[in-house]
Amino acid sequence: SRSSMMKKLLTLVLITRPNQVLLGMKKRGFGQGRWNGFGGKVEKGETILEAAKRELFEESSLKSDDLKEIGLIDFEFVGDPQILEVHVFTTSKFEGEPTESSEMRPQWFNVKDIPFDTMWPDDHLWFPLFLSGTKFKGYFLFEGHDKILKQTLDKVDSL
Ligand SMILES: Nc1nc(SCCc2ccccc2)c2[nH]cnc2n1
């Protein structure tokens, strides 16, 4: 039943600079082989924002005290009771130089050349919202990692 559904808290950070977005090529694990923002699990004893900052630093060597939550996306996968609740953050204020980590190989992309063909199939639907500073809430039901069976995506005033 929905009341027994399990939610796993995750973070996703998208760093921008004028006309560009920083993405990382995921080298292993969940989402391997796809470009994505930086993120991962929220550990016990840390806030979602603290987790976003930590994962950003661990995966890219960048630091930011200006992360702003811009989106909230629930991902469900057929046959898996664990729903991923992904808190999406963005900033254009950061310090450091993007550096490859064990998890991610960072690269700047022009906004007009985002590699959606090697990203999760939902991304091209909500990237335009985050890039225009529009807060959003989304839900995507996946079959496997490539097929979206059901989706909702709404602009919101507050998350
Ligand atoms: N962009 C995007 N990201 C994710 S998972 C993001 C959260 C995460 C999870 C594990 C390691 C690092 C980051 C997605 N899942 C389904 N569509 C998706 N789109």
Side-chain angles (χ1 to χ4, degrees), residues 72-78 120-129 136-143 146-155:
L72 189 54
I73 312 176
D74 276 349
F75 294 113
E76 186 170 9
F77 296 84
V78 171
W120 285 92
D122 52 288
D123 290 16
H124 76 98
L125 298 167
W126 55 265
F127 256 56
L129 298 179
F136 63 91
K137 281 187 177 174
Y139 165 77
F140 296 91
L141 174 61
F142 272 83
E143 186 167 49
D146 302 328
K147 190 170 173 35
I148 296 171
L149 297 179
K150 244 190 283 185
Q151 68 182 66
T152 66
L153 184 57
D154 301 291
K155 300 176 184 178

Side-chain angles (χ1 to χ4, degrees), residues 8-14 23 26 28-31 34-41 55 59 73-77 84-88 103-104 119-123 126-127 140 142 144-145 148:
K8 185 171 186 177
L9 293 179
L10 295 165
T11 64
L12 185 64
V13 177
L14 293 155
L23 298 173
K26 190 82 169 30
R28 62 182 63 158
F30 185 79
R34 286 178 161 163
W35 293 101
N36 203 352
F38 303 91
K41 301 184 193 73
E55 288 283 359
E59 293 186 348
I73 312 176
D74 276 349
F75 294 113
E76 186 170 9
F77 296 84
L84 307 184
E85 181 182 291
V86 179
H87 293 252
V88 185
E103 291 288 316
M104 290 291 232
M119 293 168 71
W120 285 92
D122 52 288
D123 290 16
W126 55 265
F127 256 56
F140 296 91
F142 272 83
H145 285 189
I148 296 171

